[in-house]
Amino acid sequence: DTGVSQNPRHKITKRGQNVTFRCDPISEHNRLYWYRQTLGQGPEFLTYFQNEAQLEKSRLLSDRFSAERPKGSFSTLEIQRTEQGDSAMYLCASSLVLRLAGEETQYFGPGTRLLVL
Amino acid sequence: DQQVKQNSPSLSVQEGRISILNCDYTNSMFDYFLWYKKYPAEGPTFLISISSIKDKNEDGRFTVFLNKSAKHLSLHIVPSQPGDSAVYFCAASKGNQFYFGTGTSLTVIP
C-alpha cells in the first residue's frame, strides 16, 4: 500500500497528558500537511512542510502543538497538556509539487481520532 | 470566515439518477478546486479536480463544473450508485492554501 498512513488510528487520553501522532506520506511527496476535523466541519489547516521545513502554521495551532518532519519523510504532531477541546480527527495529507504555480492535489491518510477525557 | 460553503448538509438520490452537489466560494483568487469523498472512519479520498482556466472536467461518472463569475462549482454523478453514498467535501486552493467546505452527505437509495 503506497498511500498515506497514520498511527495510531485512535487515541484516548486524559486531560493534561501529552500525545504524539505519526504520519507517513506517499513516498517522494515533498509536501506534508496536518489538518484537524471536528464533527460537521471540513478539514481545517494546521501546518505544512515543504520537505523538512515547516513553512506555515495556522492560528489554530497553539503553542501546545508542535510538528516535525525531521528528514523530509514522516512527520509527527505532538499535543502537550491536552484539553478536551483538542478532541478531533487529525488528518495528514501529502502532495507532490514540482513547481510553485502548479496545481496541487493532496492525498489524505485515514486520520487519527483523538478523544480527551 | 468560511471561504468555501456547502449549503446542503445532505442529499438523497435514487439509484441510477443524477446527483448534483453544490459548492460556493468567496475568494476570487482561488485557482484550483477539488472534490473529495469521505467514508466514515476514513480520511477524505481525492475524487476529481478542476483548474480555474477550465469550466468543466469529466472523469467517468463524475463531472465537475466551475462557474467563476458566480463563484460556484458543482459535482455531478451520473448514474448514481449505492456505493457513492458518502460525505463529499469541496475544496478550493491558491498555492498552498486549501479551504474545505463542511461537506454534503449523499445517500443513494437502491
Side-chain angles (χ1 to χ4, degrees), chain A residues 9 31 33 35 37 40-45 48 56 59 89 91 100 103-111 113, chain B residues 2 31-32 34 36 38 41-46 49-51 53 89 93 95-103:
Chain A
R9 294 291 305 274
R31 281 193 182 172
Y33 292 77
Y35 289 87
Q37 185 175 19
Q41 299 297 315
E44 295 175 293
F45 169 78
Y48 96 98
E56 190 162 341
R59 288 170 295 175
M89 172 78 86
L91 293 164
L100 283 177
E103 296 169 354
E104 180 180 356
T105 299
Q106 296 184 6
Y107 296 88
F108 283 84
R113 184 169 295 281
Chain B
Q2 193 74 22
D31 57 9
Y32 191 54
L34 310 93
Y36 287 85
K38 185 180 184 304
E42 295 184 12
T45 302
F46 171 69
S49 62
I50 188 168
S51 165
I53 62 174
F89 291 96
S93 74
N96 61 279
Q97 300 284 333
F98 279 73
Y99 297 87
F100 288 81
T102 52

Side-chain angles (χ1 to χ4, degrees), chain A:
Chain A
D1 184 13
T2 57
V4 179
S5 62
Q6 291 186 246
N7 288 289
R9 294 291 305 274
H10 305 273
K11 179 71 177 178
I12 300 174
T13 191
K14 293 182 179 179
R15 188 177 54 187
Q17 297 294 304
N18 299 343
V19 294
T20 300
F21 310 140
R22 176 177 169 128
C23 171
D24 288 89
I26 294 171
S27 60
E28 299 177 355
H29 275 194
N30 51 5
R31 281 193 182 172
L32 187 148
Y33 292 77
W34 284 100
Y35 289 87
R36 181 171 69 188
Q37 185 175 19
T38 53
L39 198 61
Q41 299 297 315
E44 295 175 293
F45 169 78
L46 291 178
T47 188
Y48 96 98
F49 293 83
Q50 174 86 21
N51 299 312
E52 67 274 10
Q54 187 174 17
L55 296 187
E56 190 162 341
K57 291 193 272 189
S58 162
R59 288 170 295 175
L60 294 175
L61 210 66
S62 76
D63 55 7
R64 296 184 298 105
F65 288 69
S66 62
E68 294 182 345
R69 194 183 183 198
K71 297 181 180 178
S73 57
F74 75 92
S75 175
T76 57
L77 177 68
E78 181 183 15
I79 309 174
Q80 296 181 328
R81 304 180 304 281
T82 52
E83 302 172 355
Q84 288 181 326
D86 297 332
S87 296
M89 172 78 86
Y90 290 84
L91 293 164
C92 173
S94 70
S95 64
L96 178 62
V97 177
L98 298 177
R99 55 189 178 93
L100 283 177
E103 296 169 354
E104 180 180 356
T105 299
Q106 296 184 6
Y107 296 88
F108 283 84
T112 295
R113 184 169 295 281
L114 173 66
L115 177 61
V116 182
L117 301 175

